[in-house]
Amino acid sequence: MKIFLGFLLLPIMALSQVLLINTSNRNSTTLNGNWNYIVDPYETGYYNFHSEVYDQKNVNSPAAFYNNYHAKNKSELVEYDFDKSPFLSIPGDWNSQKENLLYYEGTLWLKKSFDYNLSNSSNRLFLYFGAVNYKAEVYLNGTKLGVHEGGFTPFNFEITSVVKAKDNYLVVKVDNKRFKEAVPTINTDWWNYGGITRDVLLIEEPAVFIQDYTIQLKKGTNSTIAGFIKLSNAVKDEKITISIPELKIEKEIQTSAEGNIQFEFSVSSKSGKIKYWSPTSPKLYEVFIKTSHQTLKDDIGFRTIETKGVDILLNGKSIYLRGISIHEEYDGSRANGESDALVLLTWAKELGCNFIRLAHYPHNEYMLRMADKMGLMVWEEIPVYWSIDFNNNTTYNNAKNQLTEVITRDKNRASVIIWSMANETPLSEARNSFLKNLINHTKMLDSTRLISAALLTRGEKGVGIIDDKIGEHLDIVAFNQYMGWYGGDLATAPNAKWETPFNKPVVVSEFGGDALQGLHGTKDERWTEEYQEYLYQQNLLMIEKIPNIRGISPWILTDFRSPKRVLPGIQDGYNRKGLISNKGIKKKAFFTLHAFYKKMALQYN
Ligand code: GCU
């Protein structure tokens, strides 16, 4: 077995804090449940009630919310009390839990008390958040642990030196106000669900722990497993064993002086051929990483993904992406649990999908592990959506950090085949260099997966032209088009002409139209199920003739909340392009797409 000196996947250089991956297999204690909350639109939570001038922002105020202060005597003035405040159920957005918070965008403080005893005094303790939308400030026992920006990626803080055995008070200030420089920016077509929207965990690790790793098939091979392992401390010559019992693999390696190691080893024929992961056979192997301090298990699938000319090859075979776009929402609230993931991905499977586009931001990890298990290839995306501030370096670093966090978290998931840089971003030189830099950063972190983006197209003399310059830097040229909804003529759609200068696979990453489930009429009556059904029929006939077409992910699996969609009696705050209503009822177009996917599955098998 050679010590692998090249770079399949660089150890994700130390972020502001070490991001723990594979948290579901680590030694964790959940902090999910009821948290007290205080709505604080004026950011009173920082102020010192004793100060004369109330607009003084005294960040070390003894009575600030993060100190969870209680009056020492009956005469003392303190104007808040977390323990007498109402509860929010965490993980969960506040908008869908409290009617008076449905449209709330602002600051809200949450508090959770807990006791904790380390099982070994030399162990280390981390506080992990699956996601907080949009900005989080985290305090433990009055100590500011740090901040995080970005509403859809995980982060954690080490709390070993701050945690107490009894009566810890964890206070999180969440701010979901939208602003120009943010990622996403002010304008989106989805609900700005605020809060601690994903799991909160205490994770106890040994003094020296497995901090990060990648174990995947080496790019360009189908029988060499390669990757890296990074320990938390730079311990030289630490023995690490990688074992995959079902493949009879047990490899011992030693760490370098920096406490990490790149490796590669072939899976010899005696261990039997690798059963490659695919939608029809989503094989996952138990992989164990053992050190003298801990054993960490993961469930990893092995597969190859590449493009060759206009084909997308999974395990060397040309495929067609039978997809559907999905927002992280179920019945009008953030879908953040394993049961939500099972419902949404079961619907995708019923539709005949082998592919899902997780729009427009990284979804919770349950979705990725469920896709691994159920056999759905995944397009993951960061919320570089519409007209973000492409000229702003802080905005770029935010987007880059969100991309780093999602690649760090999901780089061992076989289901993830595409990293998407953006959605419908307006053309400009600033936007091109912004996206090119993100593309280069992605390739540096993970050279094994494909890179795409949902682009816009233009029309010329009645022909659809797919020639966005950024396409030169993408593996798959994907684009959104709304023939028959935002324009165009459905009757003649099947004869529409499309052209592209790229000799690359093309994917239609969005098309669709609204229908209110249960509203019926003729195919010419907008908002009826019959209109949506006809729109799908005509678009599918048109799409089959698009040059280099190798997949679609129509917009969208289920109706979802959007403040932009206000037509009374029809939208009522929901985008109705779902093939399934927000109450889980399938519309007629669901069956149109299902029939098409049945045909494509036969054609590509
Ligand atoms: C846009 C966008 C989606 C939006 C959809 C629509 O292209 O990508 O986020 O919801 O079209 O207009 O319904």
Side-chain angles (χ1 to χ4, degrees), residues 156-255:
N156 47 242
F157 302 103
E158 181 162 8
I159 58 171
T160 315
S161 59
V162 186
V163 73
K164 302 179 297 184
K166 302 288 286 175
D167 303 330
N168 293 284
Y169 52 94
L170 168 61
V171 176
V172 180
K173 181 199 153 208
V174 181
D175 182 354
N176 76 331
K177 284 191 292 296
R178 289 167 291 117
F179 57 100
K180 177 175 175 292
E181 301 77 11
V183 179
T185 185
I186 292 172
N187 190 19
T188 71
D189 188 25
W190 71 79
W191 209 268
N192 179 24
Y193 289 110
I196 303 176
T197 50
R198 295 182 191 162
D199 293 338
V200 184
L201 301 172
L202 293 170
I203 299 177
E204 184 171 342
E205 295 289 344
V208 177
F209 63 92
I210 300 160
Q211 171 186 319
D212 195 8
Y213 60 88
T214 284
I215 301 176
Q216 293 274 281
L217 279 179
K218 185 181 173 188
K219 186 178 173 82
T221 79
N222 61 8
S223 60
T224 300
I225 290 177
F228 75 87
I229 294 170
K230 181 158 179 45
L231 298 182
S232 55
N233 308 56
V235 281
K236 202 166 167 338
D237 299 337
E238 166 81 18
K239 276 192 186 39
I240 299 180
T241 307
I242 302 171
S243 66
I244 311 176
E246 210 179 325
L247 289 175
K248 301 185 189 64
I249 288 173
E250 177 100 7
K251 296 290 176 189
E252 194 170 285
I253 51 180
Q254 285 192 314
T255 54

Side-chain angles (χ1 to χ4, degrees), residues 189 360 385 423-424 482 486 510 555 560 565 575 577:
D189 188 25
H360 284 295
Y385 179 93
N423 180 75
E424 295 191 356
Y482 277 89
Y486 293 122
E510 286 183 33
W555 192 257
F560 61 95
R565 309 296 178 168
N575 182 312
K577 292 188 181 67

Side-chain angles (χ1 to χ4, degrees), residues 243-286:
S243 66
I244 311 176
E246 210 179 325
L247 289 175
K248 301 185 189 64
I249 288 173
E250 177 100 7
K251 296 290 176 189
E252 194 170 285
I253 51 180
Q254 285 192 314
T255 54
S256 63
E258 297 73 40
N260 60 31
I261 184 71
Q262 272 89 26
F263 61 85
E264 69 176 71
F265 49 85
S266 60
V267 184
S268 62
S269 52
K270 84 168 177 350
S271 60
K273 268 178 72 58
I274 295 178
K275 259 200 220 124
Y276 297 108
W277 183 93
S278 74
T280 49
S281 165
K283 174 67 185 167
L284 298 176
Y285 287 93
E286 285 196 327

